[in-house]
Amino acid sequence: MPTKTKAPKIKPFHCPSCKKLVKATDEDFPFCSDRCRRIDLGKWAMGVYKISSPVLDPEVLETSVLEDVEGNRDR
């Protein structure tokens, strides 16, 4: 008795901007069009999207602490 192998299910993906169904083979994937890609880029540029993970780089933390201390001295 031959064993049937199941084809992997492809999960449908929706454009993050307009929620249209998008194929992984589309030119603008994961977006449905260049327009939606630019809308998303504009949201990043305006600060609508933010990366919420904490800064763990010691140099960046040290620099920001020094800037805070120096900023408080001027007051």
Side-chain angles (χ1 to χ4, degrees):
M1 190 171 195
T3 309
K4 291 184 179 180
T5 58
K6 293 183 179 180
K9 287 187 177 182
I10 298 174
K11 184 178 177 183
F13 191 84
H14 296 276
C15 174
S17 295
C18 71
K19 307 301 182 215
K20 284 185 185 176
L21 194 59
V22 181
K23 295 179 186 175
T25 56
D26 289 348
E27 181 180 347
D28 292 304
F29 184 80
F31 301 95
C32 68
S33 65
D34 188 53
R35 178 180 180 271
C36 283
R37 181 183 300 278
R38 290 174 187 253
I39 288 170
D40 187 72
L41 180 61
K43 287 181 179 180
W44 278 103
M46 291 185 330
V48 174
Y49 300 139
K50 294 178 176 73
I51 299 173
S52 62
S53 62
V55 177
L56 300 176
D57 184 3
E59 289 183 20
V60 173
L61 288 173
E62 184 178 318
T63 303
S64 65
V65 168
L66 289 174
E67 288 173 354
D68 288 344
V69 169
E70 290 173 358
N72 289 333
R73 285 185 196 163
D74 295 338
R75 292 181 184 177

